[in-house]
Amino acid sequence: MAKKQNPQSQSAFSSDSYFGTLKKSQNWDDRIAAVAHRFNREYRGESFDLPVEVREMPITQEWSAGILQAKLASPFWQLAQPQKNQRCLDIGCGVSFLIYPWRDWGALFYGQEVSTVARDSLNARGPQLNSKLFKGVTLAPAHQLEYDPGQPFDLAIATGVSCYYPIDYWAEVLAAVKKVLKPGSFFVFDVLDTEIPLAENWAILETYLGAEVFLESAADWKKMIQAAGGQIVKTLPGELFQLYKVKV
């Protein structure tokens, strides 16, 4: 089942003790591997063995019919559209360069993924679409951003990623993103809106697909972002996710 934030830990968001714990190296390998495995299977078109009660859920039927994806997509460009010649980092990019109008934007695309199938597909097809804009996809998790500090990014994006990790992991991601962005630039990412009735059923489905979902409240997200030194400048609600535009 999906996990909810432990109420006893909420007070830690307002103190240095919370971020002090993040200085201790935590091993996220098992969780990252589970997410990678779940999406590798989907990108390969493999079938999932789901219990009858899960298969009969309306959201599962939408997923099987291929119509759920529209509810999951977050139009990040409505908050921060990549501009011509900007260096943009798409974390957990999937096949973003193939489905979004990066060529129209004229922005330089740098991708990062944990799915080997998505990475290989994008690295094979991206240069064919536009070899000048496509700068390749790196296989690495969101908190490990190994890029040249002398060439910071103008914009960072991460959609459909944060919900698979506990909120303290995403605090590490924010710290990593801050190091590779130009000062005052934006990080646009989405979080699961737990107030939407559909959210818990979607979390159940994802758990059975192999990637557990964390149901973190909007209040805790805002506390974490503020504690990490970020400033939410704009939000955009969706059918399942809410986009945050954060100045880091």
Side-chain angles (χ1 to χ4, degrees):
M1 294 296 292
K3 290 186 178 180
K4 293 189 177 182
Q5 178 71 37
N6 183 350
Q8 294 180 348
S9 70
Q10 291 181 0
S11 61
F13 284 97
S14 61
S15 69
D16 292 337
S17 62
Y18 171 69
F19 281 92
T21 63
L22 298 184
K23 295 178 182 178
K24 300 177 183 177
S25 178
Q26 298 192 50
N27 191 338
W28 305 107
D29 290 351
D30 289 346
R31 181 155 302 282
I32 292 166
V35 175
H37 181 66
R38 178 256 182 273
F39 283 98
N40 279 336
R41 293 187 64 190
E42 181 166 310
Y43 286 127
R44 291 191 190 108
E46 298 179 10
S47 60
F48 292 84
D49 186 17
L50 302 176
V52 174
E53 60 270 23
V54 177
R55 292 201 304 268
E56 292 178 348
M57 293 169 59
I59 195 168
T60 305
Q61 295 173 14
E62 289 186 3
W63 172 75
S64 298
I67 59 177
L68 180 60
Q69 186 58 38
K71 294 182 179 181
L72 304 179
S74 292
F76 60 85
W77 55 89
Q78 292 185 18
L79 290 186
Q81 180 174 306
Q83 301 297 310
K84 186 175 182 179
N85 295 326
Q86 278 190 333
R87 290 167 48 84
C88 300
L89 175 62
D90 192 340
I91 302 169
C93 61
V95 292
S96 168
F97 194 75
L98 305 181
I99 59 178
Y100 296 135
W102 286 94
R103 289 175 295 175
D104 294 341
W105 297 330
L108 306 180
F109 176 93
Y110 294 77
Q112 183 154 317
E113 250 297 336
V114 296
S115 164
T116 54
V117 178
R119 186 274 311 267
D120 293 345
S121 177
L122 216 50
N123 279 338
R125 298 178 61 188
Q128 299 174 3
L129 289 178
N130 194 305
S131 60
K132 292 183 178 180
L133 299 180
F134 182 76
K135 299 301 181 181
V137 179
T138 300
L139 186 68
H143 71 296
Q144 295 178 359
L145 305 180
E146 304 293 337
Y147 298 95
D148 182 359
Q151 293 184 304
F153 291 99
D154 299 286
L155 175 68
I157 302 156
T159 58
V161 180
S162 68
C163 58
Y164 296 110
Y165 302 93
I167 204 165
D168 54 344
Y169 174 78
W170 210 246
E172 290 192 23
V173 174
L174 277 176
V177 168
K178 189 172 184 176
K179 293 178 181 179
V180 300
L181 272 183
K182 289 181 180 178
S185 296
F186 298 106
F187 181 25
V188 179
F189 61 94
D190 60 4
V191 303
L192 183 64
D193 188 344
T194 58
E195 297 301 316
I196 295 177
L198 186 65
E200 189 161 353
N201 283 341
W202 179 77
I204 292 171
L205 171 61
E206 283 296 304
T207 298
Y208 280 98
L209 293 177
E212 184 180 19
V213 166
F214 286 78
L215 299 173
E216 311 281 7
S217 71
D220 282 349
W221 275 108
K222 292 174 182 177
K223 289 177 184 177
M224 185 276 288
I225 292 169
Q226 183 178 15
Q231 177 187 0
I232 301 174
V233 298
K234 198 170 184 179
T235 62
L236 182 67
E239 291 193 66
L240 196 56
F241 290 89
Q242 183 170 55
L243 274 165
Y244 288 166
K245 181 180 181 180
V246 177
K247 187 176 182 180
V248 299

